[in-house]
């Protein structure tokens, strides 16, 4: 077992930052904690590393309760957002620092440092000082330094946020390669969901000091369980609807949107949580909407185009259907669209919709899990 | 490259700065022109002048050592630790910098005098602080150590928290972090602080004269010597010692400026 966090509370100036937070990071897992800025992600890493003392709760590393253990005794590597390299030491000396501090003998240090500098491809720059390195090289040094003493887990606090786009992508890919090669348990904090999607085996969404959802990236992005997660990961077509009919596994809903002029009806795959005459929140991922010039089966609506934003290989299309805004992400190659296009059909299959958990984020439950939702 | 042009405002500022610079320069020039080289050498060979230089160097170097031994822990704790009453202690440490040295001397006189708390205790072992070189050291330490503490405290505080935290997460004990990280990273601050302390101790007059008096050849430091010689009309001797003192201070400040003003800057 890697790291277990149990019912952690931490407040600063009477403001709760971590609020009854529980989390499990399995051994060898690349676990990403994703959340907006100021939600307590860095505080959580600080608690794991022993740099911040929680007000309540327990931290277990490799099944050992480490609450009272000082950071230097926890065997946890930490990569900081600002690298936190030692400016008076070379790349080699920075990497060897943890080994020297632990009293490893000189010959062994040389061998280990050479191995990790090779892993991060910095062997040529071993005698450079931090001020002589680029942002990416600094971050690779920080990674080598944190890995060199072979920690039980590696904590990373937004390590790529200070890098330019090219360096960001390069280091991100290298990080994934290094984790695969070393099989080290990584707990990685970021606010960037594309970064999380590229790196994570598992993602935890942190919101208001608690974990909102823990799942594999695919499930987080395409099956968010709460409105917050849905909006945060970009699955931002969220409807409030009333179930009016269920027939052969398909449920018919009438939308309750205040924006909508006409009472639109949509069909969705039936989930056990659906009950007649109760309000239900439904989520539709923009990537699951297809656009066409003609209607295309069930859930086809003619939309007036409000906005088209080209973004890489896709278009982000915002359309309006009787006052209701729908956002679609479609590949540029799949459809010809231009500034003169005024109306277009938005279509999505019934299984593209899934229910969101109705519980509020501050509901008094031990951990927010929506057990009765079946995504099969 | 943008060519920097002198504006009217710049010229005005340069004029004001020039007046002040000339004033400083004139003061030193007058001192240097007050005696000839021959007179200077003659005065320096005088046993009393030589003794005052020796006493000043001796006491100020002991003060520098004591400042490092006792001042560094103070600076370390004030910059890295959080505890109740920290602000009070911090202000207390800075107080001798702004306090008139005569007041400091008076307080030390009361503390170490025959009826003072420490004076009485030390009296049992026949240790006398007042009117002795020990008194000079106490006075100089009290007045000049805060300069070291302040400089080192700023230097340690400039080390980013993450850098110290990184050391801890790498398995370094507090002592290892101190030895391999804090000490080398605050090296320039320490050296600058020591140089300032030494210069201040060498130039200390008010508190020293109150505590140690001015016994020629025993407690007469360079500054006291200058005062005594000037008051008794021996201007040549006063100027000679003054020039030596300026020489020491200038060299120490100059080395400080060119060698230790560079900081790491913590490039990220």
């Amino acid at each position: 077992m890697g790291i277990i966090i149990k019912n952690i509370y931490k407040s600063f100036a009477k403001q709760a930052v971590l609020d009854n937070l529980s989390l499990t990071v399995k051994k060898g897992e690349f676990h990403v904690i994703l959340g907006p800025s100021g939600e307590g992600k860095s505080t959580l890493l600080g608690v794991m590393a022993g740099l911040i003392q929680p007000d309540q709760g327990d931290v277990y590393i490799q099944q050992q309760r480490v609450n009272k253990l000082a950071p230097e005794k926890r065997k946890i590597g930490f990569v900081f957002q600002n690298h936190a390299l030692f400016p008076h030491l070379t790349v080699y000396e920075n990497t060897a620092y943890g080994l020297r501090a632990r009293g490893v003998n000189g010959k062994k240090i040389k061998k280990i440092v050479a191995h990790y500098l090779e892993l991060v491809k910095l062997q040529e720059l071993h005698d450079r000082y931090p001020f002589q390195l680029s942002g990416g090289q600094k971050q690779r040094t920080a990674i080598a330094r944190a890995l060199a003493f072979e920690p039980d887990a590696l904590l990373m606090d937004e390590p790529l946020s200070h890098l330019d786009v090219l360096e960001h992508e390069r280091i991100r890919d290298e990080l994934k390669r290094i984790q695969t090669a070393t099989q080290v348990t990584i707990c990685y904090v970021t606010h960037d969901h594309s970064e999380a999607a590229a790196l994570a085996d598992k993602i935890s969404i942190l919101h208001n000091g608690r974990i909102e959802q823990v799942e594999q990236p695919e499930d987080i992005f395409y099956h968010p369980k709460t409105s917050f997660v849905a909006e945060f990961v970009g699955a931002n077509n969220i409807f409030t609807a009333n179930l009016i009919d269920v027939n052969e596994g398909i449920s018919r809903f009438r939308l309750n949107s205040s924006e909508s002029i006409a009472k639109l009806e949509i069909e969705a795959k039936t989930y056990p949580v659906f009950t007649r005459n109760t309000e239900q929140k439904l989520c539709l991922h923009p990537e699951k909407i297809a656009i066409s010039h003609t209607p295309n089966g069930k859930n086809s609506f003619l939309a007036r185009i409000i906005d088209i934003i080209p973004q890489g290989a896709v278009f982000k299309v915002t359309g309006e259907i009787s006052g209701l805004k729908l956002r679609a992400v479609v590949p540029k190659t799949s459809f010809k669209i231009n500034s003169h296009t005024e109306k277009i059909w938005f279509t999505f299959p019934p299984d593209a919709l899934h229910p969101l958990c109705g519980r509020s984020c501050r509901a008094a439950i031990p951990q927010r899990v929506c057990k009765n939702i079946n995504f099969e | 490259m943008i060519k920097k042009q002198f504006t009217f405002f710049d010229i005005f500022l340069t004029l004001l700065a020039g007046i002040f610079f000339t004033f400083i320069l004139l003061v030193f020039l007058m001192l240097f022109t007050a005696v000839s080289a021959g007179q200077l050498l003659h005065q320096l060979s005088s046993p009393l002048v030589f003794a005052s230089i020796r006493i000043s160097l001796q006491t100020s170097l002991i003060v520098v050592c004591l400042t490092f031994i006792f001042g560094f822990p103070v600076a370390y704790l004030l910059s890295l630790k959080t505890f109740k009453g920290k602000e009070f202690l911090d202000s207390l440490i800075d107080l001798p910098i702004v306090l008139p040295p005569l007041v400091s001397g008076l307080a030390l006189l009361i503390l170490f005098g025959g009826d003072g708390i420490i004076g009485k205790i030390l009296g049992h072992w026949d240790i006398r602080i007042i009117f002795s070189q020990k008194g000079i050291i106490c006075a100089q330490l009290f007045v000049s150590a805060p300069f070291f503490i302040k400089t080192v405290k700023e230097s340690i505080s400039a080390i980013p928290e993450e850098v110290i935290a990184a050391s801890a997460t790498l398995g370094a004990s507090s002592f290892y972090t101190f030895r391999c990280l804090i000490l080398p990273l605050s090296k320039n601050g320490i050296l600058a602080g020591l140089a300032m302390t030494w210069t201040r101790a060498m130039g200390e007059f008010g508190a020293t004269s109150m505590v140690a008096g001015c016994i020629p050849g025993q407690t007469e430091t360079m500054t006291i010597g200058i005062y005594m010689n000037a008051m008794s009309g021996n201007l040549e001797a006063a100027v000679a010692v003054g020039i030596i003192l300026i020489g020491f201070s200038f060299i120490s400040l100059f080395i400080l400026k060119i060698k230790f003003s560079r900081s790491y800057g913590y490039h990220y």
Side-chain angles (χ1 to χ4, degrees):
Chain A
M1 195 49 77
I3 304 170
I4 299 173
I5 300 286
K6 274 188 184 168
N7 308 108
I8 291 286
Y9 283 93
K10 180 68 195 175
S11 60
F12 293 108
K14 293 181 182 171
Q15 186 79 35
V17 178
L18 302 177
D19 187 3
N20 195 22
L21 184 145
S22 296
L23 175 73
T24 301
V25 179
K26 285 183 186 160
K27 196 175 179 195
E29 188 174 76
F30 201 126
H31 196 113
V32 174
I33 296 167
L34 181 63
S37 299
E39 293 279 356
K41 302 187 296 292
S42 300
T43 306
L44 177 58
L45 286 196
V47 167
M48 288 180 189
L51 299 169
I52 296 171
Q53 273 302 309
D55 300 335
Q56 273 181 53
D58 296 311
V59 180
Y60 295 86
I61 296 167
Q62 306 285 64
Q63 293 175 325
Q64 187 199 355
R65 189 168 173 272
V66 294
N67 284 35
K68 302 275 176 204
L69 227 52
E72 60 267 27
K73 303 240 164 80
R74 291 199 184 192
K75 223 177 167 228
I76 288 272
F78 205 118
V79 176
F80 293 83
Q81 192 173 7
N82 293 333
H83 329 298
L85 293 179
F86 307 135
H88 61 304
L89 302 179
T90 61
V91 168
Y92 179 92
E93 288 163 335
N94 261 284
T95 312
Y97 188 92
L99 297 164
R100 283 180 179 152
R102 285 161 196 275
V104 178
N105 76 53
K107 263 189 183 170
K108 215 172 164 190
I109 289 176
K110 223 173 176 179
K111 209 173 149 189
I112 296 170
V113 172
H115 168 71
Y116 282 99
L117 287 184
E118 197 186 332
L119 189 73
V120 298
K121 296 175 183 165
L122 276 179
Q123 60 272 50
E124 302 291 317
L125 306 177
H126 66 94
D127 55 352
R128 296 259 181 104
Y129 284 91
F131 74 91
Q132 296 170 311
L133 302 174
S134 71
Q137 288 164 345
K138 281 181 195 168
Q139 204 51 280
R140 278 189 276 160
T141 309
I143 293 167
R145 184 181 68 175
L147 283 173
F149 70 94
E150 286 165 3
D152 291 334
L154 183 60
L155 310 179
M156 307 187 91
D157 188 2
E158 307 212 29
L160 309 183
S161 61
H162 283 215
L163 306 179
D164 63 50
V165 183
L166 272 178
E167 284 262 64
H168 185 285
E169 270 186 32
R170 198 177 303 147
I171 301 290
R172 189 189 67 192
D173 296 345
E174 277 189 28
L175 192 57
K176 188 70 188 166
R177 176 184 62 78
I178 290 165
Q179 199 268 340
T180 311
T182 56
Q183 278 302 299
V184 65
T185 309
I186 292 184
C187 192
Y188 185 104
V189 149
T190 183
H191 62 268
D192 180 343
H193 43 78
S194 61
E195 198 174 303
L199 290 168
D201 295 326
K202 206 168 253 184
I203 296 175
S204 289
I205 304 283
L206 185 65
H207 178 48
N208 278 351
R210 295 171 82 178
I211 299 295
E212 191 110 347
Q213 187 173 347
V214 185
E215 223 107 24
Q216 289 176 348
E218 185 80 358
D219 292 324
I220 289 279
F221 290 104
Y222 293 104
H223 295 289
K225 286 178 178 172
T226 68
S227 300
F228 171 77
V229 177
E231 297 218 15
F232 186 66
V233 299
N236 46 8
N237 293 311
I238 298 167
F239 318 114
T240 313
N242 269 76
L243 181 66
I244 48 174
D245 187 29
V246 179
N247 191 12
E248 291 176 1
I250 297 293
S251 302
R252 202 147 53 82
F253 282 92
R254 183 170 292 138
L255 297 187
N256 288 344
S257 168
S258 57
E259 297 167 12
S260 176
I261 301 159
K263 291 289 178 194
L264 290 175
E265 285 186 7
I266 55 170
E267 290 187 357
K269 185 183 139 187
T270 301
Y271 286 84
V273 286
F274 290 168
T275 46
R276 217 176 282 266
N277 295 326
T278 53
E279 213 168 57
Q280 179 67 53
K281 268 192 174 172
L282 298 171
C283 177
L284 172 62
H285 198 284
E287 286 178 21
K288 292 189 176 174
I289 297 176
I291 56 173
S292 57
H293 287 298
T294 51
N296 195 6
K298 286 174 180 175
N299 294 334
S300 257
F301 301 95
L302 187 62
R304 184 175 65 83
I305 292 176
I306 298 174
D307 200 13
I308 301 168
I309 303 169
Q311 202 170 65
V314 295
F315 283 121
K316 282 187 161 183
V317 185
T318 308
E320 187 200 294
I321 306 155
S322 302
L324 179 81
K325 276 181 194 160
L326 264 186
R327 294 155 195 96
V329 174
V330 291
K332 280 179 179 171
T333 50
S334 72
F335 194 75
K336 283 248 182 272
I337 202 163
N338 57 49
S339 55
H340 302 296
T341 314
E342 284 184 356
K343 287 198 170 181
I344 212 156
W345 287 86
F346 275 47
T347 308
F348 47 91
D351 63 359
L353 288 147
H354 73 271
L356 293 174
C357 177
R359 288 182 187 130
S360 82
C361 293
R362 303 255 52 87
I365 50 166
Q367 196 172 357
R368 264 171 262 117
V369 281
C370 307
K371 284 178 185 164
N372 46 355
I373 297 178
N374 175 16
F375 288 125
E376 292 307 307
Chain B
M1 197 176 148
I2 301 165
K3 198 176 175 185
K4 286 181 185 168
Q5 284 184 332
F6 263 80
T7 61
F8 175 74
F9 180 65
D10 292 334
I11 294 165
F12 176 67
L13 287 185
T14 309
L15 196 71
L16 288 179
I19 291 169
F20 187 72
F21 183 72
T22 313
F23 168 64
I24 299 284
L25 196 67
L26 268 179
V27 169
F28 290 122
L29 268 180
M30 285 305 103
L31 202 65
F32 279 94
T33 53
V35 286
S36 66
Q39 285 170 320
L40 184 69
L41 284 173
H42 172 72
Q43 287 301 331
L44 288 178
S45 59
S46 144
L48 282 181
V49 170
F50 186 76
S52 72
I53 295 171
R54 180 183 54 79
I55 291 166
S56 276
L57 282 175
Q58 222 168 37
T59 53
S60 62
L61 287 174
I62 292 170
V63 164
V64 165
C65 295
L66 290 174
T67 300
F68 182 75
I69 294 165
F70 295 108
F72 194 85
V74 175
Y76 177 88
L77 293 173
L78 285 177
S79 49
L80 291 181
K81 303 291 170 188
T82 312
F83 53 88
K84 270 189 181 172
K86 184 176 165 176
E87 286 75 19
F88 173 76
L89 281 181
D90 205 358
S91 307
L92 196 70
I93 293 290
D94 284 346
L95 201 56
I97 295 175
V98 291
L99 206 67
L102 280 174
V103 179
S104 304
L106 193 64
L108 287 165
L109 195 63
I110 295 167
L111 182 70
F112 291 114
D115 295 326
I117 302 170
I118 296 181
K120 257 185 196 172
I121 298 167
L122 294 177
H124 290 301
W125 290 289
D126 212 22
I127 300 171
R128 208 161 56 90
I129 301 290
I130 305 300
F131 302 123
S132 72
Q133 285 194 13
K134 294 183 199 81
I136 300 175
I137 292 165
C138 287
Q140 289 181 350
L141 185 71
F142 182 80
V143 173
S144 56
F147 288 92
F148 172 80
I149 294 168
K150 207 172 161 62
T151 314
V152 175
K153 200 180 72 182
E154 277 165 19
S155 185
I156 296 176
S157 299
I159 304 171
E161 270 180 41
E162 289 101 331
V163 170
I164 296 168
S167 174
T169 61
L170 289 166
S173 64
S174 298
F175 180 68
Y176 191 88
T177 302
F178 166 76
R179 188 167 62 85
C180 298
L181 197 69
I182 294 167
L183 212 53
L185 288 183
S186 56
K187 185 185 76 188
N188 285 356
I190 293 168
L191 293 172
L194 288 177
M196 280 168 74
T197 299
W198 182 65
T199 314
R200 181 71 189 86
M202 287 282 285
E204 216 302 301
F205 170 72
T208 310
S209 59
M210 288 286 278
V211 177
C214 31
I215 308 163
Q218 283 181 40
T219 63
E220 190 180 278
T221 59
M222 288 168 83
T223 47
I224 293 171
I226 293 169
Y227 178 76
M228 296 304 288
N229 283 317
M231 289 301 109
S232 61
N234 188 0
L235 208 63
E236 284 168 10
V239 170
V241 181
I243 287 172
I244 299 292
L245 200 57
I246 290 172
F248 281 141
S249 302
F250 186 77
I251 290 166
S252 116
L253 287 174
F254 189 68
I255 292 171
L256 188 80
K257 281 246 188 301
I258 57 166
K259 279 274 179 196
F260 310 122
S261 60
R262 200 163 45 88
S263 75
Y264 279 103
Y266 303 104
H267 304 272
Y268 286 138

